[in-house]
């Protein structure tokens, strides 16, 4: 009798769709919070373009692009503070499009139409301007309409230099390290890279917008070996090696 009841219950659950609630392997999502309306007041936005969460999971930072500011909220959406307005002075923006937060608490903002990156930090509840780098151009540490920024575990900064069709890498103080990419469709080329992200293993993901693809890059040190030979002999006296941090490998 118990077996018959169990079979009947099973068929009932299957045919009514209730069974799916118990048996589905799909992840379930729900909206926890939402905030923001059109405007320029606290918790309002005009064209928000970038978002980042700090390492502690306490604050969310929003690049409020056409309000030329960054707003900070708790992860539950409670307004905390904001900084920036239109201009070129330190702490001012012209279309901030991306924000990233390092594990050291540094806040990096891509200031797109000022063709630069600005760096900030907090002292208690006060935001402090720390540094900036970049100007219009195509040389090292120059940008043309940069769109996105990411920070790796060591604090190195990666910038999608969109109109120069390349990625530039800097140290935590804005010192240029290397760059890669040029215009085109090949494995080492981009056409308007717009977004960049780095996973915990150090792999770099780039949205290559106008090539309609995602690029996965692995940065690795290139080891160069220099053999020092004893004069008049074919004997290696010493092997010297050093690291060039500019190497990378196309994954897909």
């Amino acid at each position: 009798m118990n077996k018959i009841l169990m079979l009947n219950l099973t068929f009932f659950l299957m045919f009514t769709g209730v069974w799916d609630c118990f048996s589905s392997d799909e992840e379930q999502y729900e909206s926890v919070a939402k905030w923001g309306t059109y405007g320029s007041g606290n918790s309002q936005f005009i064209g928000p373009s970038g978002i980042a969460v700090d390492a502690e999971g306490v604050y969310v930072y929003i690049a409020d692009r056409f309000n030329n500011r960054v707003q900070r909220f708790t992860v539950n959406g409670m307004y905390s503070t904001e900084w920036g307005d239109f201009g070129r002075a330190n702490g001012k923006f012209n279309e901030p499009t991306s924000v990233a937060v390092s594990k050291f608490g540094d806040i990096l903002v891509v200031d797109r139409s000022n063709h630069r990156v600005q760096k900030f930090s907090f002292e208690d509840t006060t935001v402090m301007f720390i540094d900036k780098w970049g100007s219009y151009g195509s040389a090292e540490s120059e940008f043309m309409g940069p769109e996105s920024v990411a920070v790796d575990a060591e604090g190195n900064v990666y910038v999608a230099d969109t109109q120069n069709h390349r990625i530039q890498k800097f140290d935590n103080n804005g010192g240029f390290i290397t760059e890669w990419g040029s215009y085109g469709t090949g494995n080492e080329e981009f056409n308007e890279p717009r977004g960049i992200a780095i996973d915990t293993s150090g792999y770099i993901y780039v949205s290559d917008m106008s090539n309609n693809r995602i690029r996965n890059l692995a940065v690795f040190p290139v080891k160069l070996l220099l053999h020092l030979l004893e004069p008049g002999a074919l004997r290696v006296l010493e092997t010297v090696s050093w690291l060039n941090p500019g190497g990378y490998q196309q994954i897909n």
Side-chain angles (χ1 to χ4, degrees):
M1 183 65 178
N2 290 336
K3 291 183 179 180
I4 295 175
L5 287 175
M6 287 298 297
L7 286 172
N8 288 337
L9 178 60
T10 300
F11 284 123
F12 171 78
L13 292 173
M14 291 176 63
F15 284 110
T16 58
V18 178
W19 181 261
D20 290 338
C21 297
F22 297 96
S23 63
S24 176
D25 291 329
E26 295 182 1
E27 294 183 357
Q28 302 297 313
Y29 299 92
E30 64 176 341
S31 177
V32 176
K34 65 178 180 180
W35 62 93
T37 57
Y38 180 87
S40 298
N42 295 347
S43 302
Q44 293 185 317
F45 307 103
I46 301 180
S49 298
I51 187 169
V53 181
D54 64 18
E56 293 77 24
V58 176
Y59 290 109
V60 180
Y61 297 82
I62 310 292
D64 190 3
R65 180 172 182 168
F66 296 114
N67 277 321
N68 296 299
R69 65 183 178 182
V70 175
Q71 294 195 67
R72 186 175 82 162
F73 303 86
T74 69
V75 292
N76 295 318
M78 182 176 296
Y79 174 83
S80 171
T81 190
E82 67 180 74
W83 69 95
D85 54 27
F86 178 77
R88 289 190 55 82
N90 296 343
K92 294 181 180 291
F93 302 107
N94 188 354
E95 295 187 46
T97 53
S98 180
V99 59
V101 185
S102 77
K103 68 178 183 181
F104 309 111
D106 299 318
I107 304 158
L108 290 306
V109 181
V110 164
D111 190 6
R112 180 187 182 277
S113 294
N114 280 329
H115 312 285
R116 65 185 181 184
V117 174
Q118 295 197 66
K119 178 181 174 181
F120 304 88
S121 68
F122 271 87
E123 288 188 6
D124 296 325
T125 59
T126 302
V127 64
M128 307 292 292
F129 170 82
I130 302 299
D131 201 359
K132 65 181 178 182
W133 64 90
S135 58
Y136 182 84
S138 300
E140 294 176 358
S141 301
E142 294 182 334
F143 304 106
M144 290 178 62
E147 292 275 355
S148 186
V149 62
V151 184
D152 67 17
E154 285 72 43
N156 297 310
V157 180
Y158 300 75
V159 180
D161 189 6
T162 304
Q163 299 303 321
N164 278 322
H165 312 288
R166 65 183 178 182
I167 304 298
Q168 294 197 64
K169 178 181 178 181
F170 306 88
D171 65 26
N172 189 48
N173 296 313
F176 177 82
I177 295 177
T178 190
E179 66 178 80
W180 59 90
S182 58
Y183 176 77
T185 60
N187 285 339
E188 300 179 6
E189 297 172 328
F190 299 105
N191 188 353
E192 297 188 325
R194 287 290 181 95
I196 185 168
I198 304 172
D199 67 19
T200 55
S201 298
Y203 291 100
I204 303 168
Y205 301 83
V206 180
S207 60
D208 190 6
M209 189 191 75
S210 293
N211 277 329
N212 301 296
R213 64 186 180 183
I214 304 298
R215 304 286 301 282
N216 183 359
L217 305 174
V219 175
F220 64 97
V222 179
K223 182 173 289 188
L224 180 63
L225 299 179
L226 177 64
H227 298 286
L228 303 179
L229 301 181
E230 181 181 10
L234 295 177
R235 184 167 63 89
V236 175
L237 293 179
E238 185 180 3
T239 298
V240 181
S241 66
W242 63 91
L243 298 180
N244 170 12
Y248 77 94
Q249 178 181 359
Q250 169 73 26
I251 302 299
N252 58 42

